[in-house]
Coordinates of all heavy atoms in Angstrom, one line a residue:
L1 N 197.0 278.0 -225.0 CA 196.1 278.4 -223.9 C 194.7 278.0 -224.2 O 194.0 277.5 -223.3 CB 196.3 279.9 -223.7 CG 195.6 280.4 -222.4 CD1 196.2 279.8 -221.2 CD2 195.8 281.9 -222.4
E2 N 194.3 278.1 -225.5 CA 192.9 277.7 -225.9 C 192.7 276.2 -225.6 O 191.6 275.8 -225.2 CB 192.6 278.0 -227.3 CG 191.3 277.6 -227.8 CD 190.1 278.1 -227.0 OE1 190.2 279.2 -226.4 OE2 189.1 277.3 -226.8
G3 N 193.7 275.4 -225.9 CA 193.6 274.0 -225.6 C 193.4 273.7 -224.1 O 192.6 272.8 -223.8
I4 N 194.0 274.4 -223.3 CA 193.8 274.2 -221.8 C 192.4 274.6 -221.5 O 191.7 273.8 -220.7 CB 194.8 275.1 -221.0 CG1 196.2 274.6 -221.2 CG2 194.4 275.1 -219.5 CD1 197.3 275.5 -220.7
Y5 N 191.9 275.7 -222.0 CA 190.5 276.1 -221.7 C 189.5 275.1 -222.3 O 188.5 274.7 -221.7 CB 190.2 277.5 -222.2 CG 190.8 278.6 -221.4 CD1 191.6 279.5 -222.0 CD2 190.5 278.7 -220.0 CE1 192.2 280.5 -221.2 CE2 191.1 279.7 -219.2 CZ 191.9 280.6 -219.8 OH 192.5 281.6 -219.1
R6 N 189.8 274.5 -223.5 CA 188.9 273.6 -224.1 C 188.9 272.3 -223.3 O 187.8 271.8 -223.0 CB 189.4 273.2 -225.5 CG 188.5 272.3 -226.3 CD 189.0 272.0 -227.7 NE 190.4 271.6 -227.8 CZ 191.3 272.3 -228.3 NH1 191.1 273.5 -228.8 NH2 192.6 271.9 -228.3
D7 N 190.0 271.8 -222.8 CA 190.1 270.6 -221.9 C 189.3 270.9 -220.6 O 188.6 270.0 -220.2 CB 191.5 270.2 -221.6 CG 192.2 269.7 -222.8 OD1 191.6 269.4 -223.9 OD2 193.5 269.6 -222.8
L8 N 189.4 272.0 -220.1 CA 188.7 272.4 -218.8 C 187.2 272.4 -219.1 O 186.4 271.8 -218.3 CB 189.2 273.7 -218.3 CG 188.5 274.2 -217.0 CD1 188.8 273.2 -215.9 CD2 189.1 275.5 -216.6
R9 N 186.8 273.0 -220.2 CA 185.4 273.0 -220.5 C 184.8 271.6 -220.7 O 183.7 271.3 -220.3 CB 185.1 273.8 -221.8 CG 185.1 275.3 -221.5 CD 184.6 276.1 -222.7 NE 185.2 275.8 -224.0 CZ 186.3 276.4 -224.5 NH1 186.9 277.4 -223.8 NH2 186.7 276.1 -225.7
Q10 N 185.6 270.7 -221.3 CA 185.2 269.3 -221.5 C 185.0 268.6 -220.2 O 184.0 267.9 -220.0 CB 186.2 268.6 -222.4 CG 186.1 268.8 -223.9 CD 187.0 268.0 -224.7 OE1 188.2 267.8 -224.3 NE2 186.5 267.5 -225.8
E11 N 186.0 268.8 -219.3 CA 185.8 268.2 -218.0 C 184.6 268.7 -217.2 O 183.9 268.0 -216.6 CB 187.1 268.5 -217.2 CG 188.3 267.7 -217.6 CD 189.6 268.1 -216.9 OE1 189.5 268.6 -215.7 OE2 190.7 267.9 -217.4
E12 N 184.4 270.0 -217.3 CA 183.2 270.6 -216.6 C 181.9 270.1 -217.3 O 181.0 269.9 -216.6 CB 183.3 272.1 -216.6 CG 184.4 272.7 -215.8 CD 184.6 274.2 -215.9 OE1 184.2 274.8 -216.9 OE2 185.2 274.8 -215.0
S13 N 181.9 270.1 -218.6 CA 180.8 269.6 -219.3 C 180.4 268.1 -218.9 O 179.3 267.8 -218.7 CB 181.0 269.7 -220.8 OG 181.1 271.0 -221.2
L14 N 181.5 267.3 -218.8 CA 181.2 265.9 -218.4 C 180.7 265.8 -217.0 O 179.8 265.0 -216.7 CB 182.6 265.1 -218.5 CG 182.5 263.7 -218.2 CD1 181.5 263.0 -219.1 CD2 183.8 263.0 -218.3
A15 N 181.2 266.7 -216.1 CA 180.6 266.7 -214.7 C 179.2 267.1 -214.7 O 178.3 266.5 -214.0 CB 181.5 267.6 -213.9
V16 N 178.8 268.2 -215.5 CA 177.4 268.6 -215.6 C 176.6 267.5 -216.2 O 175.5 267.2 -215.7 CB 177.3 269.9 -216.4 CG1 175.9 270.3 -216.7 CG2 178.0 271.1 -215.7
A17 N 177.0 266.9 -217.3 CA 176.3 265.8 -218.0 C 176.1 264.7 -217.0 O 175.0 264.1 -217.0 CB 177.0 265.4 -219.2
S18 N 177.0 264.3 -216.3 CA 176.9 263.2 -215.3 C 175.9 263.5 -214.3 O 175.0 262.6 -213.9 CB 178.2 262.8 -214.7 OG 179.2 262.4 -215.6
S19 N 175.9 264.6 -213.7 CA 174.9 265.1 -212.7 C 173.5 265.1 -213.3 O 172.6 264.6 -212.7 CB 175.3 266.4 -212.2 OG 174.4 266.9 -211.2
L20 N 173.4 265.6 -214.5 CA 172.1 265.7 -215.2 C 171.6 264.3 -215.4 O 170.4 264.0 -215.2 CB 172.3 266.5 -216.4 CG 171.1 266.9 -217.2 CD1 170.2 267.8 -216.4 CD2 171.5 267.6 -218.5
Q21 N 172.4 263.4 -215.9 CA 172.0 262.0 -216.2 C 171.5 261.3 -215.0 O 170.5 260.6 -215.0 CB 173.2 261.2 -216.9 CG 172.9 259.8 -217.0 CD 171.8 259.4 -218.0 OE1 171.4 260.3 -218.8 NE2 171.3 258.2 -217.9
Q22 N 172.2 261.5 -213.9 CA 171.8 260.9 -212.6 C 170.5 261.4 -212.2 O 169.6 260.6 -211.7 CB 172.9 261.1 -211.5 CG 174.2 260.3 -211.8 CD 175.3 260.7 -210.8 OE1 175.1 261.5 -209.9 NE2 176.5 260.2 -211.0
A23 N 170.3 262.7 -212.3 CA 169.0 263.3 -211.8 C 167.9 262.8 -212.7 O 166.8 262.5 -212.2 CB 169.1 264.8 -211.9
L24 N 168.1 262.7 -214.0 CA 167.0 262.3 -214.9 C 166.7 260.8 -214.6 O 165.5 260.5 -214.5 CB 167.5 262.4 -216.4 CG 167.3 263.8 -217.0 CD1 168.1 263.8 -218.3 CD2 165.8 264.0 -217.3
H25 N 167.7 260.0 -214.5 CA 167.4 258.6 -214.3 C 166.7 258.3 -212.9 O 165.8 257.6 -212.8 CB 168.7 257.7 -214.3 CG 168.4 256.3 -214.2 ND1 168.6 255.6 -213.1 CD2 167.9 255.4 -215.1 CE1 168.3 254.3 -213.3 NE2 167.9 254.2 -214.5
R26 N 167.2 259.0 -211.9 CA 166.6 258.9 -210.6 C 165.1 259.3 -210.6 O 164.2 258.6 -210.1 CB 167.4 259.7 -209.6 CG 166.9 259.6 -208.1 CD 167.9 260.3 -207.2 NE 168.2 261.6 -207.6 CZ 169.5 262.0 -208.0 NH1 170.4 261.1 -208.0 NH2 169.7 263.2 -208.3
S27 N 164.8 260.4 -211.3 CA 163.5 261.0 -211.3 C 162.6 260.1 -212.2 O 161.4 259.7 -211.7 CB 163.5 262.4 -211.9 OG 162.2 262.9 -212.0
L28 N 163.0 259.7 -213.3 CA 162.2 258.9 -214.2 C 162.0 257.4 -213.8 O 160.9 256.8 -214.0 CB 162.7 258.9 -215.7 CG 162.7 260.3 -216.3 CD1 163.3 260.3 -217.7 CD2 161.3 260.9 -216.3
S29 N 163.0 256.9 -213.1 CA 162.8 255.5 -212.7 C 161.8 255.3 -211.5 O 161.3 254.2 -211.3 CB 164.2 254.9 -212.3 OG 164.7 255.6 -211.1
R30 N 161.5 256.4 -210.9 CA 160.4 256.4 -209.9 C 159.1 256.1 -210.5 O 158.2 255.5 -209.9 CB 160.4 257.7 -209.1 CG 161.5 257.8 -208.1 CD 161.4 259.1 -207.3 NE 162.6 259.3 -206.6 CZ 163.3 260.5 -206.6 NH1 162.7 261.5 -207.2 NH2 164.4 260.6 -205.9
L31 N 158.9 256.6 -211.7 CA 157.6 256.4 -212.5 C 157.7 255.1 -213.2 O 156.7 254.4 -213.4 CB 157.4 257.5 -213.4 CG 156.9 258.8 -212.9 CD1 156.7 259.9 -214.0 CD2 155.5 258.6 -212.1
D32 N 158.8 254.8 -213.8 CA 159.0 253.6 -214.6 C 160.3 252.9 -214.3 O 161.3 253.3 -214.8 CB 158.9 253.9 -216.1 CG 159.0 252.7 -217.0 OD1 159.0 251.5 -216.4 OD2 159.1 252.8 -218.2
P33 N 160.3 251.9 -213.4 CA 161.6 251.3 -213.0 C 162.3 250.6 -214.1 O 163.5 250.3 -214.0 CB 161.1 250.2 -212.0 CG 159.8 250.6 -211.5 CD 159.2 251.4 -212.7
K34 N 161.7 250.4 -215.3 CA 162.4 249.8 -216.4 C 163.2 250.8 -217.2 O 163.9 250.5 -218.1 CB 161.4 249.2 -217.3 CG 160.6 248.0 -216.7 CD 159.6 247.4 -217.6 CE 158.5 248.5 -217.8 NZ 157.4 248.1 -218.6
V35 N 163.1 252.1 -216.8 CA 163.9 253.1 -217.6 C 165.4 252.8 -217.5 O 165.9 252.7 -216.4 CB 163.6 254.6 -217.0 CG1 164.5 255.6 -217.6 CG2 162.1 254.9 -217.3
A36 N 166.0 252.7 -218.7 CA 167.4 252.4 -218.7 C 168.3 253.6 -218.4 O 168.0 254.7 -218.9 CB 167.7 251.8 -220.1
D37 N 169.4 253.4 -217.7 CA 170.4 254.4 -217.6 C 171.4 254.2 -218.7 O 172.3 253.3 -218.6 CB 171.0 254.3 -216.2 CG 172.0 255.4 -215.9 OD1 172.4 256.1 -216.9 OD2 172.5 255.5 -214.8
R38 N 171.3 255.0 -219.7 CA 172.2 254.8 -220.8 C 173.6 255.5 -220.7 O 174.4 255.5 -221.6 CB 171.5 255.2 -222.1 CG 170.3 254.3 -222.4 CD 169.7 254.6 -223.8 NE 168.6 253.7 -224.0 CZ 167.3 254.1 -224.0 NH1 167.0 255.3 -223.8 NH2 166.4 253.2 -224.3
G39 N 173.7 256.2 -219.6 CA 175.0 256.8 -219.3 C 175.2 258.1 -220.1 O 174.3 258.6 -220.8
V40 N 176.4 258.6 -220.0 CA 176.7 259.9 -220.7 C 177.6 259.5 -221.9 O 178.5 258.7 -221.8 CB 177.5 260.8 -219.8 CG1 178.1 262.0 -220.5 CG2 176.7 261.2 -218.6
K41 N 177.3 260.1 -223.0 CA 178.1 259.9 -224.2 C 178.7 261.2 -224.6 O 178.2 262.3 -224.3 CB 177.1 259.5 -225.4 CG 176.2 258.3 -225.1 CD 176.9 257.0 -224.9 CE 176.0 255.8 -224.8 NZ 175.6 255.5 -223.5
Q42 N 179.8 261.1 -225.3 CA 180.5 262.3 -225.8 C 180.6 262.3 -227.3 O 180.8 261.2 -227.9 CB 181.9 262.4 -225.2 CG 181.9 262.6 -223.7 CD 183.3 262.7 -223.1 OE1 184.0 261.7 -223.1 NE2 183.6 263.9 -222.6
A43 N 180.5 263.5 -227.9 CA 180.6 263.6 -229.3 C 181.0 265.1 -229.6 O 180.6 266.0 -228.9 CB 179.3 263.3 -230.0
P44 N 181.7 265.3 -230.7 CA 182.2 266.6 -231.0 C 181.2 267.5 -231.8 O 181.5 268.0 -232.9 CB 183.4 266.3 -231.9 CG 183.1 265.1 -232.6 CD 182.3 264.3 -231.6
F45 N 180.0 267.6 -231.3 CA 179.0 268.4 -231.9 C 179.4 269.9 -231.9 O 179.8 270.3 -230.8 CB 177.6 268.3 -231.3 CG 177.0 266.9 -231.5 CD1 176.7 266.1 -230.4 CD2 176.7 266.4 -232.8 CE1 176.2 264.8 -230.6 CE2 176.1 265.2 -232.9 CZ 175.9 264.4 -231.8
L46 N 179.2 270.6 -232.9 CA 179.6 272.0 -233.0 C 179.0 272.8 -231.8 O 179.7 273.7 -231.3 CB 179.3 272.6 -234.3 CG 179.7 274.0 -234.6 CD1 181.3 274.1 -234.5 CD2 179.2 274.6 -235.9
V47 N 177.7 272.6 -231.5 CA 177.1 273.3 -230.5 C 177.7 273.1 -229.1 O 177.5 273.8 -228.2 CB 175.6 273.1 -230.4 CG1 174.9 273.6 -231.7 CG2 175.3 271.6 -230.2
L48 N 178.5 272.0 -229.0 CA 179.2 271.7 -227.7 C 180.6 272.2 -227.7 O 181.1 272.7 -226.7 CB 179.1 270.2 -227.5 CG 177.8 269.6 -227.3 CD1 177.9 268.0 -227.1 CD2 177.0 270.2 -226.1
V49 N 181.3 272.0 -228.8 CA 182.7 272.4 -228.8 C 183.0 273.8 -229.1 O 184.1 274.3 -228.8 CB 183.5 271.5 -229.8 CG1 183.5 270.0 -229.3 CG2 183.1 271.6 -231.2
A50 N 182.0 274.5 -229.7 CA 182.2 275.9 -230.1 C 181.8 276.9 -229.0 O 181.6 278.1 -229.3 CB 181.5 276.2 -231.4
T51 N 181.6 276.4 -227.8 CA 181.2 277.3 -226.7 C 182.4 277.8 -225.8 O 183.4 277.2 -225.9 CB 180.2 276.5 -225.7 OG1 180.9 275.5 -225.1 CG2 179.0 276.0 -226.5
E52 N 182.1 278.8 -225.1 CA 183.1 279.3 -224.2 C 182.8 278.9 -222.7 O 183.4 279.5 -221.8 CB 183.2 280.8 -224.3 CG 183.8 281.2 -225.7 CD 184.0 282.7 -225.8 OE1 184.1 283.4 -224.8 OE2 184.2 283.1 -227.0
M53 N 181.8 278.0 -222.6 CA 181.3 277.6 -221.3 C 181.0 276.1 -221.3 O 180.9 275.6 -222.4 CB 180.1 278.4 -220.8 CG 178.8 278.0 -221.5 SD 178.6 278.5 -223.2 CE 178.4 280.2 -223.1
P54 N 180.9 275.4 -220.2 CA 180.5 274.0 -220.3 C 179.2 273.9 -221.0 O 178.3 274.8 -220.8 CB 180.4 273.6 -218.8 CG 181.3 274.6 -218.1 CD 181.2 275.9 -218.9
A55 N 179.0 272.8 -221.7 CA 177.7 272.6 -222.5 C 177.4 271.1 -222.5 O 178.3 270.3 -222.6 CB 177.9 273.2 -223.9
V56 N 176.1 270.9 -222.6 CA 175.6 269.5 -222.7 C 174.4 269.5 -223.6 O 173.7 270.5 -223.7 CB 175.2 268.8 -221.3 CG1 176.4 268.8 -220.4 CG2 174.1 269.6 -220.7
L57 N 174.1 268.4 -224.2 CA 172.9 268.1 -224.9 C 172.2 267.0 -224.2 O 172.8 266.0 -223.9 CB 173.1 267.7 -226.4 CG 173.7 268.7 -227.3 CD1 174.0 268.1 -228.7 CD2 172.7 269.9 -227.5
A58 N 170.9 267.1 -224.0 CA 170.1 266.1 -223.3 C 169.1 265.5 -224.2 O 168.2 266.2 -224.7 CB 169.4 266.7 -222.0
E59 N 169.3 264.2 -224.5 CA 168.3 263.5 -225.3 C 167.5 262.6 -224.3 O 168.0 261.6 -223.7 CB 169.0 262.6 -226.3 CG 168.0 261.9 -227.2 CD 168.8 261.1 -228.3 OE1 169.8 261.5 -228.7 OE2 168.2 260.0 -228.7
V60 N 166.3 263.0 -224.0 CA 165.5 262.4 -222.9 C 164.6 261.3 -223.4 O 164.1 260.6 -222.5 CB 164.8 263.5 -222.1 CG1 165.7 264.4 -221.4 CG2 163.8 264.2 -223.0
S61 N 164.3 261.2 -224.6 CA 163.4 260.2 -225.1 C 163.6 260.0 -226.6 O 164.2 260.8 -227.3 CB 162.0 260.5 -224.9 OG 161.5 259.8 -223.8
C62 N 163.1 258.9 -227.1 CA 163.2 258.6 -228.5 C 161.8 258.3 -229.0 O 161.2 257.3 -228.6 CB 164.1 257.4 -228.7 SG 164.5 257.1 -230.4
L63 N 161.3 259.1 -229.9 CA 159.9 259.0 -230.3 C 159.7 257.7 -231.1 O 158.5 257.3 -231.3 CB 159.4 260.2 -231.1 CG 159.3 261.5 -230.2 CD1 158.9 262.7 -231.1 CD2 158.3 261.3 -229.1
S64 N 160.7 257.2 -231.7 CA 160.5 255.9 -232.5 C 160.4 254.7 -231.6 O 160.0 253.6 -232.0 CB 161.7 255.7 -233.4 OG 162.9 255.6 -232.7
N65 N 160.6 254.9 -230.3 CA 160.4 253.8 -229.3 C 159.0 254.0 -228.8 O 158.6 255.0 -228.1 CB 161.4 254.0 -228.2 CG 161.3 252.9 -227.1 OD1 160.2 252.8 -226.5 ND2 162.3 252.2 -226.8
R66 N 158.1 253.0 -229.1 CA 156.7 253.1 -228.7 C 156.5 253.4 -227.2 O 155.6 254.1 -226.8 CB 156.0 251.9 -229.1 CG 155.8 251.8 -230.6 CD 155.0 250.6 -231.0 NE 154.9 250.5 -232.4 CZ 153.9 249.9 -233.1 NH1 153.0 249.4 -232.4 NH2 154.0 249.9 -234.4
E67 N 157.2 252.7 -226.4 CA 157.1 252.8 -224.9 C 157.5 254.2 -224.5 O 156.8 254.9 -223.7 CB 157.9 251.8 -224.1 CG 157.8 251.9 -222.6 CD 156.4 251.7 -222.1 OE1 155.5 251.2 -222.8 OE2 156.2 252.1 -220.9
E68 N 158.6 254.7 -225.0 CA 159.0 256.1 -224.6 C 158.0 257.1 -225.2 O 157.7 258.1 -224.5 CB 160.4 256.4 -225.1 CG 161.4 255.6 -224.4 CD 162.8 255.9 -224.9 OE1 163.0 256.8 -225.7 OE2 163.8 255.2 -224.5
A69 N 157.5 256.9 -226.4 CA 156.5 257.8 -226.9 C 155.2 257.8 -226.1 O 154.6 258.8 -225.8 CB 156.2 257.4 -228.4
R70 N 154.8 256.6 -225.6 CA 153.6 256.5 -224.7 C 153.9 257.3 -223.4 O 153.0 258.0 -223.0 CB 153.3 255.0 -224.4 CG 152.1 254.9 -223.6 CD 151.9 253.4 -223.1 NE 153.0 253.0 -222.1 CZ 153.0 253.5 -220.8 NH1 152.1 254.3 -220.4 NH2 154.0 253.0 -220.0
L71 N 155.1 257.1 -222.8 CA 155.4 257.8 -221.6 C 155.3 259.3 -221.7 O 154.9 260.0 -220.8 CB 156.7 257.3 -221.0 CG 156.8 255.9 -220.5 CD1 158.3 255.5 -220.2 CD2 156.0 255.8 -219.2
L72 N 155.8 259.8 -222.9 CA 155.8 261.2 -223.1 C 154.4 261.8 -223.2 O 154.2 263.0 -223.2 CB 156.6 261.5 -224.4 CG 158.1 261.4 -224.2 CD1 158.8 261.5 -225.6 CD2 158.6 262.5 -223.3
T73 N 153.4 261.0 -223.4 CA 152.0 261.5 -223.4 C 151.5 261.8 -222.0 O 150.5 262.4 -221.8 CB 151.0 260.5 -224.0 OG1 150.9 259.3 -223.2 CG2 151.4 260.1 -225.5
Q74 N 152.2 261.3 -221.0 CA 151.8 261.5 -219.6 C 152.5 262.8 -219.0 O 153.7 263.0 -219.1 CB 152.3 260.4 -218.7 CG 151.7 259.1 -219.1 CD 152.3 257.9 -218.4 OE1 153.1 258.1 -217.4 NE2 152.0 256.7 -218.8
T75 N 151.6 263.7 -218.5 CA 152.0 265.0 -218.0 C 153.0 264.8 -216.9 O 154.1 265.5 -216.8 CB 150.8 265.8 -217.5 OG1 149.9 266.0 -218.6 CG2 151.2 267.1 -216.9
E76 N 152.8 263.9 -216.0 CA 153.7 263.7 -214.9 C 155.1 263.3 -215.3 O 156.1 263.7 -214.8 CB 153.2 262.6 -213.9 CG 154.0 262.5 -212.7 CD 153.5 261.5 -211.7 OE1 152.5 260.8 -211.9 OE2 154.1 261.4 -210.6
Y77 N 155.2 262.4 -216.4 CA 156.5 262.0 -216.9 C 157.2 263.2 -217.5 O 158.4 263.4 -217.2 CB 156.2 260.9 -218.0 CG 157.5 260.3 -218.5 CD1 158.1 259.2 -217.7 CD2 158.1 260.6 -219.7 CE1 159.2 258.6 -218.1 CE2 159.2 259.9 -220.1 CZ 159.8 258.9 -219.3 OH 160.9 258.3 -219.8
R78 N 156.5 264.0 -218.3 CA 157.2 265.2 -218.9 C 157.6 266.2 -217.8 O 158.7 266.8 -217.8 CB 156.2 265.9 -219.9 CG 156.0 265.1 -221.1 CD 155.2 265.9 -222.2 NE 154.1 266.6 -221.7 CZ 152.8 266.1 -221.6 NH1 152.6 264.9 -222.1 NH2 151.8 266.9 -221.2
D79 N 156.8 266.3 -216.7 CA 157.1 267.2 -215.6 C 158.4 266.8 -214.9 O 159.2 267.6 -214.5 CB 156.0 267.3 -214.6 CG 154.8 268.2 -215.1 OD1 155.0 268.9 -216.2 OD2 153.7 268.1 -214.5
R80 N 158.5 265.4 -214.7 CA 159.7 264.9 -214.1 C 161.0 265.2 -214.9 O 162.0 265.5 -214.4 CB 159.5 263.4 -213.8 CG 158.6 263.2 -212.6 CD 158.7 261.7 -212.2 NE 157.8 261.5 -211.1 CZ 158.3 261.4 -209.9 NH1 159.5 261.5 -209.6 NH2 157.5 261.1 -208.9
I81 N 160.8 265.1 -216.2 CA 161.9 265.4 -217.1 C 162.3 266.8 -216.9 O 163.5 267.2 -216.7 CB 161.6 265.1 -218.6 CG1 161.5 263.6 -218.8 CG2 162.6 265.7 -219.5 CD1 160.9 263.3 -220.2
A82 N 161.3 267.7 -217.0 CA 161.6 269.2 -216.8 C 162.2 269.5 -215.5 O 163.2 270.3 -215.4 CB 160.3 269.9 -217.0
E83 N 161.7 268.9 -214.4 CA 162.3 269.2 -213.1 C 163.7 268.7 -212.9 O 164.5 269.3 -212.3 CB 161.4 268.5 -212.0 CG 160.0 269.2 -211.8 CD 159.1 268.5 -210.9 OE1 159.5 267.5 -210.3 OE2 157.9 268.9 -210.9
A84 N 164.0 267.5 -213.5 CA 165.3 267.0 -213.4 C 166.3 267.8 -214.2 O 167.4 268.1 -213.7 CB 165.4 265.5 -214.0
L85 N 165.9 268.3 -215.3 CA 166.8 269.2 -216.1 C 167.0 270.5 -215.4 O 168.0 271.1 -215.4 CB 166.2 269.4 -217.5 CG 166.1 268.2 -218.5 CD1 165.3 268.6 -219.7 CD2 167.5 267.8 -218.8

């Protein structure tokens, strides 16, 4: 029975992650059309698989990328991330 619930949570998590990814990309590409849509990735992180509800992790930028770091200095860019989430 737990396996059935785990599979259902994974399906629901993927649906939530896909919706979230689309909202983030749509919102951020309005400010910067070059923003890449990197899609949804899956990984067995404990914080995701040990839940009793659908769960996602959102990685919205990479500070080691100079352009992304620059964009994060802009209030409007950060606000769009927050609104999309």
Side-chain angles (χ1 to χ4, degrees):
L1 193 57
E2 176 55 34
I4 293 170
Y5 285 125
R6 182 178 52 249
D7 291 345
L8 181 58
R9 283 193 304 272
Q10 280 184 320
E11 290 175 21
E12 291 174 340
S13 293
L14 184 57
V16 170
S18 295
S19 178
L20 190 62
Q21 171 64 17
Q22 290 172 6
L24 277 166
H25 186 258
R26 186 173 45 250
S27 180
L28 296 179
S29 65
R30 288 184 190 131
L31 284 177
D32 182 6
K34 296 177 293 185
V35 169
D37 182 347
R38 295 188 178 108
V40 172
K41 310 292 188 269
Q42 292 180 294
F45 293 117
L46 184 61
V47 295
L48 298 177
V49 297
T51 66
E52 294 184 16
M53 75 289 288
V56 300
L57 291 176
E59 184 175 329
V60 296
S61 258
C62 187
L63 293 177
S64 61
N65 179 305
R66 287 183 186 208
E67 179 62 16
E68 289 180 11
R70 183 191 67 74
L71 287 168
L72 285 170
T73 66
Q74 299 174 10
T75 301
E76 185 178 6
Y77 191 79
R78 293 190 313 269
D79 287 347
R80 284 188 179 262
I81 290 170
E83 288 172 11
L85 292 173

